[in-house]
Amino acid sequence: MEKPAKIAPARGKLGILLPGMGAVSTTFMAGVELVRRGKSQPVGSLTQMGTLRLGKRTDARSPLIKKFVPLAELKDLAFGGWDIFKDNAYQSAANAGVLNPQDLEKVKPFLSTIKPMKAAFDHDFVKLIDGPNIKKSKNKYELALQIKEDIANFRKASRASRLVTCWCGSTESFVKPEDVHSTPEKFIEAMKSNHPAIAPSMLYAWASVTSEVPFANGAPNLTVDIPAIQKLAYDHNVPICGKDFKTGQTLMKTILAPGFKARMLGLDGWFSTNILGNRDGEVLEDPGSFKTKEESKLSVLEYILQPQLYPQLYGKMHHKVRINYYPPRGDNKEGWDNIDIFGWLGYPMQIKVDFLCRDSILAAPIVLDLVLFMDLAQRAGMRGIQEWLSFYFKSPMTAPGLYPEHDLFIQSMKLKNTLRWMKERSSSPTSARSITISSL
């Protein structure tokens, strides 16, 4: 992570580009407009409702985060995106069924003006859905150039002074890093030759980063987790972050598991199953897409509990994850967890968790926070991987050689410490010398 310079002011409009205008994107856009009109509250958003303590506890100094650092204001946000379906944002939101008709009706005129651009789509990466609103070209490089053109056109049409892209599209089939992902030059050649390891999400990432637009990855796809895109982000002074929004079941794991570890309670097994009926659930019926999601969800416990340090407590832990598509449930996902723990003298105990969550309701404030924080990072001169935003992800990106931090409370501390560090360095560089990267 780069040391921030003086933070540039958030002047003008901030354009938000969303690959995938489904349940999450439309819930996010509708919510922002409802909040802007004073019809609702931005519950779940750290940037809008969170505070940050300064000084001693007895000082009673806890300003709102949005007052402490110069974030873009909600009134200055403009929206655009891509999707394989032609539905405008209102139609897509109505089809998703997340928000009730009364709330949607309040923002229908606004959402109806947001129409998706044609999407770059490859059926090999998302096998169980298809749509008519798709770009055509002879190779993936030309598709990426078309996306760059879309970005430029949106910037001009929206009169945005700055842009951020946040991937809200489907989970793609599992891809391992290959040599074609190693350098920008090899990546371009791979796009031109239609290499099968170049996923559509990578095209959006390449187009955004080379257009000097920050990119946040909300899915478990490889996308920006490759050296080629990371090098480009560094060269173009662009922040990147990811991956996979931390919403329902994994959010609960990152809350509960640190508690078990703090009390030195053992864990024999954790069995998790999910039922959901939205587009994400349908996509995850494909084994390739499920493999991508499974890899993201399985990594959490191992990193939090550190079985290599506590083999007697966690060395034989069994961790299983299942996801089932169940159309009647829609966006209202249900996560069941059976947790087998043991305590004093090895005596067993069980915990059952049944989280009836609304996936897009939990994801929408994450999108808002990420786009505002990524814009802040760029205005502060920060580039490359933004590990301080791990708080929002199931599989946080890290600098090469570092393991990810999954403990939600450590992640929260790191995020707030980074905001303090950014503010102090930008306002008083001399006094900030004692604050180092390692202390964050």
Side-chain angles (χ1 to χ4, degrees):
M1 186 172 69
E2 289 288 292
K3 295 180 180 180
K6 185 174 178 61
I7 303 173
R11 293 197 183 100
K13 287 186 178 181
L14 174 61
I16 311 302
L17 285 164
L18 304 163
M21 282 177 48
V24 172
S25 291
T26 57
T27 303
F28 158 62
M29 291 186 283
V32 168
E33 181 65 6
L34 286 167
V35 172
R36 290 195 290 206
R37 295 177 57 187
K39 302 295 185 182
S40 196
Q41 294 294 321
V43 178
S45 169
L46 196 64
T47 61
Q48 303 306 301
M49 305 190 81
T51 61
L52 185 147
R53 196 190 86 200
L54 302 176
K56 300 175 183 177
R57 283 180 291 172
T58 53
D59 290 345
R61 296 169 59 211
S62 295
L64 287 167
I65 287 172
K66 66 180 180 180
K67 301 293 185 183
F68 180 68
V69 289
L71 298 176
E73 296 186 33
L74 298 191
K75 67 179 178 63
D76 293 326
L77 302 189
F79 305 98
W82 300 263
D83 203 88
I84 64 173
F85 298 104
K86 295 181 179 180
D87 295 341
N88 64 42
Y90 171 76
Q91 294 167 326
S92 180
N95 291 336
V98 178
L99 301 178
N100 63 49
Q102 293 83 2
D103 281 332
L104 273 183
E105 199 61 31
K106 296 172 187 174
V107 292
K108 180 178 180 179
F110 168 72
L111 291 179
S112 297
T113 64
I114 304 172
K115 300 176 182 178
M117 296 174 276
K118 288 185 177 181
F121 182 75
D122 187 336
H123 204 266
D124 289 338
F125 283 89
V126 183
K127 293 184 170 61
L128 298 185
I129 60 171
D130 213 338
N133 200 40
I134 296 172
K135 295 182 183 297
K136 304 293 183 183
S137 75
K138 67 179 182 181
N139 60 44
K140 296 178 181 181
Y141 181 63
E142 287 193 0
L143 283 177
L145 292 179
Q146 288 180 37
I147 296 169
K148 278 180 70 79
E149 186 176 357
D150 290 341
I151 292 171
N153 290 339
F154 175 76
R155 190 193 297 268
K156 183 177 180 180
S158 66
R159 297 181 179 179
S161 61
R162 309 171 320 281
L163 302 177
V164 176
T165 302
C166 185
W167 177 271
C168 294
S170 297
T171 299
E172 296 171 330
S173 292
F174 184 68
V175 177
K176 290 183 178 180
E178 296 189 20
D179 187 56
V180 296
H181 303 133
S182 61
T183 69
E185 295 76 20
K186 290 181 179 179
F187 188 84
I188 288 175
E189 289 305 311
M191 286 194 290
K192 290 179 177 179
S193 64
N194 285 324
H195 195 283
I198 304 298
S201 63
M202 295 177 184
L203 305 182
Y204 287 95
W206 181 88
S208 296
V209 169
T210 57
S211 300
E212 299 183 354
V213 176
F215 189 97
N217 178 21
N221 312 329
L222 195 59
T223 314
V224 291
D225 237 350
I226 54 176
I229 299 297
Q230 292 170 16
K231 176 68 163 58
L232 287 169
Y234 194 83
D235 290 346
H236 289 268
N237 298 309
V238 173
I240 56 174
C241 67
K243 57 189 182 185
D244 203 4
F245 298 142
K246 181 159 56 181
T247 51
Q249 193 171 64
T250 305
L251 174 63
M252 297 306 296
K253 285 182 178 177
T254 62
I255 293 171
L256 292 172
F260 300 152
K261 181 181 171 184
R263 284 294 306 271
M264 289 289 105
L265 293 171
L267 180 65
D268 280 326
W270 197 313
F271 182 85
S272 302
T273 190
N274 301 262
I275 57 173
L276 69 162
N278 58 13
R279 192 192 300 182
D280 193 34
E282 185 177 5
V283 167
L284 292 173
E285 281 284 276
D286 172 59
S289 293
F290 172 73
K291 173 67 172 173
T292 305
K293 176 67 76 171
E294 183 183 37
E295 290 286 318
S296 174
K297 291 170 78 72
L298 280 175
S299 63
V300 172
L301 290 183
E302 285 72 11
Y303 281 111
I304 291 176
L305 297 175
Q306 297 176 294
Q308 72 279 10
L309 295 181
Y310 307 102
Q312 292 173 305
L313 298 176
Y314 312 116
K316 296 181 179 180
M317 168 183 62
H318 296 275
H319 186 196
K320 299 290 184 183
V321 175
R322 296 288 181 266
I323 300 175
N324 301 284
Y325 178 50
Y326 182 58
R329 199 51 66 91
D331 196 67
N332 297 334
K333 182 169 68 176
E334 184 166 2
W336 299 326
D337 287 272
N338 175 81
I339 311 166
D340 289 288
I341 66 173
F342 58 91
W344 184 247
L345 307 179
Y347 277 71
M349 295 172 279
Q350 284 191 359
I351 298 173
K352 310 287 187 183
V353 179
D354 188 6
F355 189 14
L356 295 124
C357 65
R358 296 175 179 265
D359 207 42
S360 296
I361 294 297
L362 292 166
I366 290 179
V367 178
L368 175 58
D369 285 359
L370 285 173
V371 297
L372 295 184
F373 280 144
M374 289 290 273
D375 174 56
L376 174 70
Q378 186 165 52
R379 286 186 285 112
M382 298 162 72
R383 57 183 173 176
I385 298 169
Q386 304 299 300
E387 189 183 342
W388 61 285
L389 296 175
S390 296
F391 180 74
Y392 297 103
F393 297 109
K394 291 188 184 78
S395 297
M397 294 175 65
T398 65
L402 295 179
Y403 65 84
E405 180 56 68
H406 284 279
D407 184 317
L408 186 75
F409 306 100
I410 296 175
Q411 291 174 334
S412 174
M413 179 177 63
K414 183 180 182 68
L415 188 153
K416 291 186 176 183
N417 280 349
T418 301
L419 293 176
R420 294 183 183 99
W421 173 69
M422 290 170 67
K423 179 73 171 180
E424 190 168 355
R425 279 199 65 88
S426 66
S427 58
S428 180
T430 303
S431 64
R433 284 175 185 163
S434 62
I435 304 177
T436 63
I437 291 286
S438 61
S439 72
L440 304 179

